[in-house]
Amino acid sequence: MLIKNILSGKTNQISKPILLKQRLAASMAWQILNIYPSKNNDNNWKYYNNLNGVLLADEVGGGKTFEALSILTKTYFKYLENGKRNFRVLIIANPAIRSKWEWRDVEPKGNNECDLEKFLKQTNFKNQYYFDKISDLFENETLVRSKNSWKDINKRIKNKCIVLTSVQALPTTQGRKNDAEFKRKFKFPYNKFDLVIADEAHIVKSGYLQTNEDISAVSGSAVRRLFAVLNSNPKAKIMLLTATPFHNNVHELIQMISILDHKNDSGVVSIVKKGLEEFNTAFNNLKTFTESTEEFKLKLNNLYKATNNDINRFIENKVEKYSRPKELRKSGQKDGLDDFLRDIMIRNRKEKLTEKISLAVLNEKEKLNYLLLRDLIQTKDEDAKKMISLQLCQLVSNPESFNKSLINKRKNKDESRRSNIHSDIIKYFKDDLIYKRKYRSLLKTIESFQLNKKKVITIFCRFIPAIERLQKDFKKDNYHVEILHGKMKLVDRITTLERLKGLNKKTQKKIIFVVSQVGYEGLDFDEFSNTIIHYDSHYNPAVISQRNGRVYRRGNKASDINVYHIILSETYDQRIKFIEEEKRKMKDFYLGDSNLESLFDKIYNQDPAKKKEMFNTLKKFRIDLQPRKQYLLPIMKREI
């Protein structure tokens, strides 16, 4: 089915306020793509003339697919009304999540409406004429699985159709970013596509630094291939879908925004990019500021005004003052960075999940075992140093992979000697001493949960050997266990999810579902699970958000979801969790999910009374990206 869990009529599980937010976001995004550029004759719209893209950055499970399909549908109908003969859509989605977009069985069965008809009714497209037309569009779907499949693509695609592919299946490129193009032997369609949708678009964050584009290893990277797609179709509109537009550095967000203006014309995209760069510089300067409270307060106040009212305050050497069209300035905030950013980026926030820590305290023997093994991880090889953090992660969760990584490293006498020491440590402590402590903590957490209608406990784990070990131990403890990882065939993954749905309805026992990285994106577990356990943590807060998002979507409310992290006390586990939390603070701030006060709690340390007084004047400061009804033009208000 097309977008199985959204168009199947299960949107009735979504609460009305959330559905309205999704429709508002879809309407605003449609406005950005179809109305902003049409005001070419009005001088107030000069920065918006070349706006070709929008970034849908709702949080995980926030409805991006629903919004994208709404925009696609509305845009297609606009083409029909204008009498245009062609409308072609290119959807780029990784194979693991491609099934969301594939068109399968849509014929009505008995008295049941087909999936698409239910969707159209929810989006106010009830007319049979429109239903027939949108059906024609999706039925003309072409799946491109490999690079070579592009060679005859022009013979296969119709005037109105959808082409579905993945980044991996896009041809190899040559040239960089704005000059990127596909090698001619693949005959990639030129000037054929009207709309390009990149799902899970955070894959393009690789190479966000200009120097990275000089490295031969990224010649076929996602960002180059996406630029090549857009350079081949300069008139196409672009939608980027991602809940995690950045996590390490705000330049990753700038990289994603740059794709929205792939022709490199001057416009609102360049204003936002420059504004973010200047804001990032000013913000980082505050961290090292050591002058008086009043001066610090003044700098904060200027930053507040630049971000929430007037972007021109911190963009130096400007030739002219940047100002948004009067139609878009219908609230107290007018020309702040967040206002300009909201004009190209739509973000719906969700209620925050409460995450709990299950702390496993090592005894003295276990602690000594951990320390001895940890000290064996060392190398003089610069490349190998990058793997040290991975080995430390393996040490606290995956003894099989950790042991293998040390045994295989025998390049010189020192490493061979360390390998022998490692063998002696295993003989003395046993190879699973640390693992058993963590497993007991995991088991204790599972046993503490009360059964409800959703009996599946979803456990996320990075390493496949650890998943296989957990599966074996859970079976010994008489749990029903299902696993999902990258070594499984796609059909087996689908079968596993269907089996879990059936088990959830039949059994009265707890079911364990252990998932690797392959289950972090594009899958829905909310129908059978509302309990999440992170067996191992991750430095990247986006990974944790993606994991949680498999369960935290549609019918599952934040208050009904249990989230636990299994942490070994005084080990690398705690270090990983600390880094993830620090990164999350910065990400949340730039994406409008956190205010200035909470971010500066640790940065600026002074007398609490003075601190409270200072922040009271700035408590409204935030980068606000929530969609707002008052920003809609009259034509779009009717959509709401």
Side-chain angles (χ1 to χ4, degrees):
M1 288 173 244
L2 174 65
I3 314 183
K4 189 173 183 181
N5 291 311
I6 292 179
L7 305 191
S8 64
K10 294 179 182 176
T11 45
N12 56 15
Q13 297 178 11
I14 305 174
S15 66
K16 188 173 181 178
I18 293 176
L19 195 58
L20 287 174
K21 284 178 67 176
Q22 291 178 353
R23 287 178 178 172
L24 173 61
S27 295
M28 289 193 66
W30 191 86
Q31 169 185 278
I32 289 170
L33 290 174
N34 293 282
I35 296 181
Y36 282 7
S38 68
K39 300 283 185 175
N40 293 337
N41 297 327
D42 189 339
N43 191 49
N44 290 332
W45 289 79
K46 58 186 174 181
Y47 300 122
Y48 295 81
N49 290 346
N50 301 297
L51 199 56
N52 286 333
V54 63
L55 174 59
L56 291 179
D58 292 355
E59 291 182 346
V60 181
K64 294 181 295 297
T65 310
F66 180 94
E67 293 160 16
L69 191 66
S70 299
I71 297 164
L72 186 160
T73 306
K74 289 186 222 178
T75 304
Y76 178 46
F77 290 160
K78 183 181 178 181
Y79 271 63
L80 290 178
E81 290 167 2
N82 292 336
K84 295 186 178 180
R85 294 181 62 253
N86 299 332
F87 184 75
R88 300 186 183 95
V89 181
L90 176 65
I91 299 176
I92 304 171
N94 285 336
I97 62 173
R98 199 168 55 203
S99 60
K100 289 198 308 178
W101 296 96
E102 288 181 1
W103 180 264
R104 299 183 192 170
D105 180 16
V106 297
E107 291 300 321
K109 295 181 180 180
N111 295 323
N112 297 324
E113 298 171 297
C114 68
D115 298 335
L116 187 63
E117 191 167 1
K118 289 183 179 180
F119 168 72
L120 293 176
K121 285 187 175 181
Q122 289 169 345
T123 48
N124 296 326
F125 297 118
K126 300 178 182 179
N127 187 294
Q128 185 64 37
Y129 166 80
Y130 288 120
F131 172 67
D132 292 340
K133 291 297 181 184
I134 198 70
S135 297
D136 290 343
L137 176 68
F138 281 99
E139 285 172 350
N140 293 335
E141 179 187 273
T142 299
L143 181 60
V144 180
R145 299 179 183 271
S146 67
K147 297 178 177 64
N148 289 330
S149 299
W150 294 102
K151 291 180 180 179
D152 64 342
I153 193 68
N154 287 305
K155 297 178 182 178
R156 291 192 287 149
I157 59 175
K158 300 183 179 180
N159 289 342
K160 297 180 176 65
C161 68
I162 288 177
V163 176
L164 184 59
T165 189
S166 64
V167 170
Q168 297 89 333
L170 289 172
T172 306
T173 62
Q174 54 192 18
R176 296 192 310 178
K177 291 191 175 179
N178 291 21
D179 298 321
E181 62 180 5
F182 295 119
K183 293 183 178 178
R184 294 182 180 179
K185 67 176 182 178
F186 294 105
K187 299 181 180 178
F188 187 85
Y190 182 78
N191 251 344
K192 294 284 187 181
F193 296 111
D194 302 282
L195 180 64
V196 176
I197 300 175
D199 201 356
E200 302 295 355
H202 43 266
I203 54 175
V204 305
K205 290 186 293 188
S206 61
Y208 67 86
L209 295 176
Q210 188 66 28
T211 53
N212 285 3
E213 285 292 315
D214 296 324
I215 301 174
S216 58
V218 298
S219 62
S221 67
V223 63
R224 283 194 179 189
R225 291 182 180 182
L226 189 53
F227 267 107
V229 168
L230 297 174
N231 292 339
S232 301
N233 295 271
K235 296 181 181 180
K237 302 290 186 181
I238 173 73
M239 282 196 291
L240 303 179
L241 280 58
T242 175
T244 52
F246 88 98
H247 66 270
N248 282 317
N249 192 302
V250 73
H251 288 287
E252 294 174 345
L253 177 59
I254 295 172
Q255 160 79 345
M256 298 209 50
I257 289 172
S258 71
I259 295 171
L260 303 179
D261 185 21
H262 58 281
K263 293 186 293 184
N264 203 28
D265 297 319
S266 60
V268 68
V269 172
S270 62
I271 296 173
V272 171
K273 287 166 57 180
K274 188 168 182 60
L276 279 171
E277 289 167 353
E278 295 291 341
F279 175 77
N280 188 50
T281 300
F283 183 78
N284 288 331
N285 288 340
L286 286 175
K287 296 180 184 179
T288 56
F289 192 78
T290 57
E291 298 177 41
S292 69
T293 299
E294 288 303 315
E295 290 178 273
F296 185 68
K297 182 177 175 181
L298 178 63
K299 285 183 177 288
L300 281 177
N301 200 43
N302 286 333
L303 194 63
Y304 158 72
K305 290 180 179 179
T307 305
N308 298 109
N309 286 305
D310 185 8
I311 196 175
N312 296 280
R313 281 180 173 263
F314 58 57
I315 298 184
E316 299 177 356
N317 303 319
K318 53 185 176 293
V319 178
E320 57 185 324
K321 181 179 175 66
Y322 297 127
S323 177
R324 299 168 69 241
K326 60 183 180 180
E327 291 91 340
L328 304 179
R329 301 165 65 192
K330 294 186 178 181
S331 74
Q333 297 177 346
K334 297 181 179 180
D335 299 318
L337 173 61
D338 60 337
D339 297 289
F340 277 105
L341 190 55
R342 197 187 299 108
D343 287 342
I344 61 173
M345 178 177 177
I346 308 298
R347 182 169 175 82
N348 279 327
R349 295 201 303 271
K350 299 168 69 177
E351 184 182 351
K352 293 293 182 185
L353 290 172
T354 300
E355 299 186 357
K356 302 174 183 177
I357 302 294
S358 288
L359 196 63
V361 180
L362 300 179
N363 60 34
E364 292 303 315
K365 187 174 182 180
E366 292 163 345
K367 194 179 298 183
L368 178 59
N369 185 13
Y370 169 77
L371 293 173
L372 289 173
L373 290 173
R374 184 199 67 181
D375 291 345
L376 288 176
I377 303 174
Q378 51 183 295
T379 182
K380 296 178 182 178
D381 189 329
E382 289 298 320
D383 290 334
K385 286 180 181 179
K386 299 175 183 178
M387 300 300 294
I388 286 178
S389 63
L390 180 62
Q391 286 183 285
L392 286 168
C393 293
Q394 292 172 337
L395 173 57
V396 292
S397 66
N398 183 23
E400 285 85 355
S401 292
F402 175 76
N403 293 337
K404 185 177 180 180
S405 67
L406 286 184
I407 292 171
N408 289 343
K409 290 175 59 177
R410 291 183 177 176
K411 295 181 181 179
N412 54 49
K413 291 182 180 180
D414 288 340
E415 290 181 346
S416 180
R417 180 178 59 83
R418 285 200 295 274
S419 180
N420 292 331
I421 295 173
H422 173 240
S423 298
D424 292 337
I425 293 172
I426 290 176
K427 289 177 184 178
Y428 180 77
F429 290 101
K430 306 299 181 185
D431 65 340
D432 57 359
L433 190 63
I434 301 171
Y435 164 81
K436 283 184 176 179
R437 171 61 66 180
K438 194 164 189 176
Y439 178 73
R440 286 197 296 272
S441 179
L442 173 61
L443 209 58
K444 184 178 178 181
T445 303
I446 290 171
E447 290 170 351
S448 69
F449 294 133
Q450 298 295 320
L451 276 176
N452 53 36
K453 291 182 180 179
K454 297 180 180 179
K455 306 173 188 70
V456 177
I457 296 171
T458 303
I459 301 174
F460 289 102
C461 181
R462 292 175 66 182
F463 307 104
I464 294 178
I467 290 175
E468 293 170 342
R469 177 67 181 274
L470 286 170
Q471 181 187 30
K472 180 180 177 182
D473 289 342
F474 277 128
K475 285 184 176 180
K476 285 182 181 179
D477 289 310
N478 297 317
Y479 283 100
H480 183 100
V481 189
E482 297 284 348
I483 61 174
L484 186 71
H485 57 67
K487 289 184 178 180
M488 297 170 61
K489 294 180 180 178
L490 184 58
V491 64
D492 293 332
R493 300 179 202 174
I494 296 171
T495 302
T496 298
L497 294 178
E498 292 300 321
R499 185 164 57 245
L500 281 166
K501 293 175 186 177
L503 284 170
N504 184 68
K505 296 176 182 177
K506 294 177 183 178
T507 185
Q508 295 302 315
K509 297 181 179 180
K510 294 175 183 176
I511 306 163
I512 307 299
F513 181 36
V514 191
V515 185
S516 76
Q517 187 170 339
V518 76
Y520 291 4
E521 297 174 350
L523 298 177
D524 301 329
F525 304 158
D526 58 297
E527 190 172 338
F528 51 77
S529 179
N530 61 3
T531 300
I532 304 162
I533 299 178
H534 299 280
Y535 176 71
D536 46 27
S537 296
H538 202 286
Y539 302 105
N540 183 352
V543 169
I544 301 300
S545 296
Q546 289 283 1
R547 287 176 172 183
N548 291 341
R550 300 312 102 216
V551 170
Y552 185 23
R553 56 204 307 116
R554 298 182 308 181
N556 278 350
K557 298 179 181 178
S559 57
D560 298 330
I561 298 176
N562 298 303
V563 183
Y564 278 85
H565 292 260
I566 308 298
I567 303 290
L568 286 176
S569 177
E570 300 180 62
T571 70
Y572 205 59
D573 261 350
Q574 288 186 307
R575 173 66 175 164
I576 296 170
K577 186 60 181 169
F578 171 79
I579 294 172
E580 183 249 317
E581 288 176 345
E582 291 302 301
K583 285 186 177 182
R584 185 178 296 277
K585 290 177 184 177
M586 187 63 68
K587 176 190 75 69
D588 286 351
F589 177 67
Y590 277 96
L591 296 181
D593 304 333
S594 175
N595 60 33
L596 186 67
E597 182 172 359
S598 64
L599 189 65
F600 270 81
D601 275 339
K602 292 185 178 180
I603 295 175
Y604 195 74
N605 185 21
Q606 60 164 307
D607 178 81
K610 290 184 179 179
K611 182 179 178 182
K612 183 176 181 181
E613 178 187 356
M614 178 180 67
F615 278 119
N616 277 340
T617 64
L618 296 166
K619 62 184 178 181
K620 293 183 180 179
F621 180 97
R622 67 165 55 242
I623 296 178
D624 182 11
L625 303 179
Q626 284 282 81
R628 294 184 180 180
K629 192 177 292 189
Q630 61 264 39
Y631 280 96
L632 297 179
L633 299 179
I635 187 174
M636 293 310 300
K637 283 185 178 179
R638 293 195 293 272
E639 292 285 334
I640 306 300

